[in-house]
Amino acid sequence: MSDDDAAVSGHSVIEGIQGPSDLRGLSPEQLKTLAAEIRDFLVAKVSRTGGHLGPNLGVVELTLAIHRVFDSPRDRILFDTGHQAYVHKIITGRQRGFDLLRQRGGLTGYPSRAESEHDLIENSHASTALSYADGLAKALALTGSSDHVVVLVGDGALTGGMCWEALNNIAATRNPLVIVVNDNGRSYAPTIGGLADHLATLRLNPGYERFLDLVKDALGNTPMVGGPMYEVLHAVKRGIKDAIAPQGMFEDLGLKYVGPVDGHDIEAVESALRRAKRYGGPVIVHAVTSKGHGYRPAEEDIADCLHAPGSAFDPRTGKLLAAASVKWTGVFADELVAVARERKDIVGITAAMAEPTGVAKLMRELPGRGFDVGIAEQHAVTAAAGMAFGGMHPVVAVYATFLNRAFDQVLLDVGLHGLPVTFVLDRAGITGPDGPSHYGIWDMSVFSVVPGMRIAAPRDAATLREEFREAVAVATGPTLVRFPTGTVPDSLPAIDRLCGTDGRGGVDVLARTPRRDVLMVGIGPFAHLAVDAAARIGEQGYGVTVVDPRWVRPVPSELVRLARDYRVVVTVEDGLRVGGFGDALARALRDAEVRTPLRDIAVPQGWHPHGTRAQILEDLGLTAQHVARNVTEWMSGLDHPQAPPAPPRPSISALPGRLGSAGLQ
């Protein structure tokens, strides 16, 4: 046992918490001790595995208060964003799972129905929980249930438009619903003292509302002075309230508001929650918190508050332990700034991901040329369309999984108008620890249906810079450049480039043999895998040519022509098999009446569990060893058609127009 483990195991209060009911008998002093222990626990565990640290340090007292006032799982507690649910996991009996947080066999980094009955929704994409809560509250009302619905919303989620659509409907239905706003943006100072507490109690007292109605009716029947007098009294009331709390925006929607309260004061939060619980309608409880609270390295990290260290770090300093390396995001960030210096029409747009996507560098070095719109991907895309109408060439940089949320805007606001907008998708393909909701495996399948969309998949730093420049040079429609997470692989230079008849694009030849048995097509970084697999297949006596199409949509015509000269075409890609590049190339071969059979190796459809990227690719058969073995078996089957080929490992399913497709599952 390490020193950190020993320190955690010696904390008697946290050891006694096996479920939410264990919190209710604790004294105020024990609660303070527990909060400190939870912070120590989080730092010790997350420092080894990586994960969302800052947001969870900020919601310790909030989460304790919610679980003391409400009875989970009978009362439904929802988290938005889901990455601030670590404390909730600790309280609901999952302490042991933190040793493998976000790793194979351990806890997920988000709420998970498979882990606990206390997790109702698996919302790892932000700004969704209020809509879940609205529907749930309506269902409970229709069934006559007295259970409560509570939402902890914050850490940027309220910058998403879906939250405000939900609030509009929540206010209209008037169902009991408690919305705890975790305000860690330092935009408001907490209001404390007897007057604030008194006004909060008054606003949530149904008798107070009835009194106001009676006064309004009485003054309304008083000729001449009644109406003006009521308006004066009402204005005075609103003036006093607005002077101490920013409730006007929410109350204008028809939602009761209490706060702001100090989100690190358990007693104050509990008092507000109990009043909200008794009210019987939708209530906003505004809690002001400090992201990274109680851990000095996070508190001193002003820009990020140690939001989500991606790997192990020194718990004493908060510094990452991994050696610095060249990241895909860094290469893109440098090239974006370089191109923006050359072209005044280049602007960058991101959705609450300025640092993680590299747009922050543009914002720092060329102020006014980069825009962070918050968690609002739909707005980001249509705002980019507006910029394109105004003569700019916007570069929209988001995680691959998050652009799915703006498909309609990409299709109709950008694509329909043929606008020059470049989408740069970070974290494309299998990303690993954050689980299936964050895998960027859908983009090639989803966005290839947009007419005129051109998609590039660079294989290394040099091709990323090259293909990004090619993308922003397109002025007749949208372009998309995708790359994975992590360290950029070594440079993989081409030995030849086959250019199309229009002189654009081109297919890079990475390896070639005189014998033409297999044409292997490696997409993006999987070009490295293809070269490795080709060498293994060559050891079995087959000749393999490896190519990188560079631009995967539309399918390069020169690749279709090349396929005529080979016995089998094999595609390998880090994207979804259904609708992937293999699908597109198979159609192109059929349309051109090319008889060469095709095998596509890609990510099978399904929800794949979290783990490291390497573990997941191994499970899916997306390694050089797996690919080489399967291709060798397929070729053996062609050489000996009378003998049934050995069953592939993993399984293969045949599709029309193809010999078969490896999932590989």
Side-chain angles (χ1 to χ4, degrees):
M1 179 182 293
S2 70
D3 291 341
D4 286 336
D5 277 332
V8 171
S9 67
H11 290 156
S12 59
V13 180
I14 194 172
E15 285 183 344
I17 305 301
Q18 302 301 318
S21 62
D22 295 326
L23 298 174
R24 299 187 186 110
L26 299 181
S27 68
E29 287 305 314
Q30 287 176 311
L31 286 171
K32 290 180 182 178
T33 300
L34 176 60
E37 292 175 5
I38 288 175
R39 288 191 168 91
D40 289 343
F41 180 94
L42 286 171
V43 172
K45 300 301 182 183
V46 178
S47 69
R48 300 175 193 167
T49 63
H52 288 90
L53 181 62
N56 288 286
L57 293 174
V59 298
V60 174
E61 289 83 5
L62 274 182
T63 309
L64 292 174
I66 289 171
H67 274 291
R68 278 169 57 84
V69 173
F70 295 94
D71 183 18
S72 177
R74 184 177 64 83
D75 293 331
R76 278 67 162 191
I77 301 174
L78 314 181
F79 290 83
D80 194 347
T81 61
H83 66 228
Q84 58 183 344
Y86 288 12
V87 183
H88 164 76
K89 293 193 179 203
I90 293 171
I91 292 169
T92 53
R94 285 172 273 179
Q95 295 179 30
R96 292 183 180 275
F98 275 85
D99 288 326
L100 294 174
L101 175 68
R102 301 170 69 246
Q103 298 179 39
R104 181 61 54 86
L107 296 178
T108 67
Y110 301 93
S112 170
R113 291 169 63 87
E115 286 179 6
S116 173
E117 62 178 345
H118 296 278
D119 293 0
L120 181 64
I121 58 174
E122 302 191 9
N123 59 323
S124 48
H125 285 190
S127 309
T128 59
L130 289 175
S131 294
Y132 281 117
D134 179 40
L136 182 55
K138 287 173 178 172
L140 293 177
L142 288 170
T143 58
S145 172
S146 61
D147 299 345
H148 293 86
V149 180
V150 188
V151 185
L152 177 59
V153 60
D155 201 35
L158 283 175
T159 62
M162 194 171 171
C163 280
W164 298 95
E165 296 173 27
L167 286 172
N168 183 51
N169 283 274
I170 288 168
T173 58
R174 310 300 301 166
N175 290 317
L177 177 59
V178 177
I179 302 165
V180 182
V181 175
N182 171 27
D183 176 10
N184 60 15
R186 302 180 180 90
S187 56
Y188 302 122
T191 303
I192 58 176
L195 178 61
D197 187 72
H198 171 72
L199 288 177
T201 303
L202 185 63
R203 284 197 300 274
L204 295 178
N205 187 334
Y208 169 62
E209 293 298 312
R210 290 193 295 271
F211 170 75
L212 288 180
D213 290 339
L214 289 173
V215 171
K216 183 176 182 180
D217 291 341
L219 292 177
N221 293 326
T222 303
M224 300 296 292
V225 300
M229 181 63 71
Y230 175 78
E231 293 303 323
V232 169
L233 292 175
H234 189 68
V236 169
K237 179 196 71 141
R238 289 295 299 266
I240 292 172
K241 291 161 64 179
D242 289 343
I244 67 164
Q247 82 290 328
M249 173 174 60
F250 293 114
E251 291 198 346
D252 285 344
L253 284 172
L255 297 165
K256 278 296 175 182
Y257 170 95
V258 58
V261 297
D262 181 351
H264 300 299
D265 184 333
I266 296 178
E267 185 177 354
V269 176
E270 284 190 33
S271 176
L273 290 175
R274 289 194 177 94
R275 294 195 299 272
K277 182 178 180 180
R278 290 194 299 265
Y279 177 64
V283 180
I284 295 281
V285 176
H286 177 191
V288 178
T289 65
S290 173
K291 198 170 183 176
H293 185 77
Y295 179 48
R296 185 178 295 277
E299 293 174 336
E300 293 177 347
D301 180 16
I302 298 174
D304 192 52
C305 297
L306 279 176
H307 173 77
S311 59
F313 62 90
D314 184 340
R316 294 169 298 177
T317 65
K319 302 297 183 183
L320 294 179
L321 298 177
S325 60
V326 178
K327 305 292 186 182
W328 287 96
T329 306
V331 175
F332 162 68
D334 290 343
E335 199 64 20
L336 174 62
V337 171
V339 174
R341 291 190 189 281
E342 299 167 12
R343 289 178 46 178
K344 301 301 183 185
D345 64 328
I346 296 293
V347 292
I349 303 175
T350 190
M353 292 286 181
E355 288 289 350
T357 62
V359 173
K361 183 169 185 177
L362 176 68
M363 297 168 71
R364 287 191 297 268
E365 298 199 13
L366 295 174
R369 301 279 294 280
F371 306 89
D372 185 346
V373 302
I375 303 176
E377 291 83 4
Q378 292 174 309
H379 170 69
V381 173
T382 304
M387 288 183 172
F389 276 124
M392 308 303 288
H393 189 117
V395 177
V396 180
V398 295
Y399 286 7
T401 181
F402 293 134
L403 191 62
N404 298 338
R405 309 180 80 176
F407 171 74
D408 185 69
Q409 287 69 32
V410 175
L411 177 67
L412 299 178
D413 298 343
V414 173
L416 179 64
H417 296 99
L419 293 173
V421 176
T422 295
F423 299 95
V424 175
L425 303 190
D426 205 319
R427 275 72 164 176
I430 293 291
T431 52
D434 281 330
S437 65
H438 278 55
Y439 295 159
I441 59 176
W442 289 279
D443 56 287
M444 287 196 289
S445 301
V446 170
F447 295 102
S448 65
V449 305
V450 177
M453 175 67 79
R454 307 177 199 191
I455 302 177
R459 64 180 180 269
D460 55 21
T463 55
L464 170 54
R465 289 189 287 265
E466 181 184 34
E467 290 166 30
F468 174 65
R469 285 181 174 270
E470 292 175 4
V472 296
V474 174
T476 56
T479 53
L480 186 153
V481 181
R482 71 188 305 269
F483 51 80
T485 187
T487 301
V488 181
D490 293 338
S491 178
L492 184 57
I495 61 175
D496 193 10
R497 176 166 292 180
L498 309 176
C499 292
T501 56
D502 58 3
R504 301 171 68 177
V507 173
D508 280 352
V509 180
L510 306 178
R512 180 189 281 147
T513 60
R515 181 171 173 174
R516 298 185 177 185
D517 292 313
V518 180
L519 177 63
M520 185 168 291
V521 185
I523 305 304
F526 267 33
H528 294 74
L529 181 154
V531 170
D532 188 356
R536 296 168 184 253
I537 297 167
E539 293 173 357
Q540 305 304 314
Y542 296 104
V544 184
T545 294
V546 180
V547 297
D548 169 14
R550 302 178 65 255
W551 287 84
V552 297
R553 294 292 195 285
V555 174
S557 58
E558 53 271 35
L559 181 59
V560 175
R561 289 194 297 271
L562 187 63
R564 296 180 186 275
D565 301 331
Y566 290 82
R567 298 174 64 194
V568 171
V569 176
V570 177
T571 63
V572 288
E573 58 188 304
D574 188 10
L576 199 64
R577 219 187 97 215
V578 177
F581 180 77
D583 259 347
L585 181 56
R587 286 195 301 273
L589 294 178
R590 287 197 299 269
D591 291 346
E593 298 184 351
V594 176
R595 304 291 184 183
T596 307
L598 180 143
R599 301 268 188 170
D600 56 348
I601 300 174
V603 179
Q605 198 164 10
W607 305 113
H608 308 296
H610 69 283
T612 67
R613 175 176 163 86
Q615 286 173 330
I616 297 165
L617 294 180
E618 173 74 25
D619 291 345
L620 299 178
L622 296 175
T623 68
Q625 180 179 359
H626 282 94
V627 170
R629 183 177 63 198
N630 280 279
V631 172
T632 300
E633 290 177 353
W634 296 333
M635 294 305 299
S636 178
L638 291 176
D639 290 338
H640 307 284
Q642 301 305 317
R649 300 181 300 270
S651 63
I652 300 172
S653 61
L655 292 178
R658 289 176 277 182
L659 282 177
S661 304
L664 293 165
Q665 306 182 56

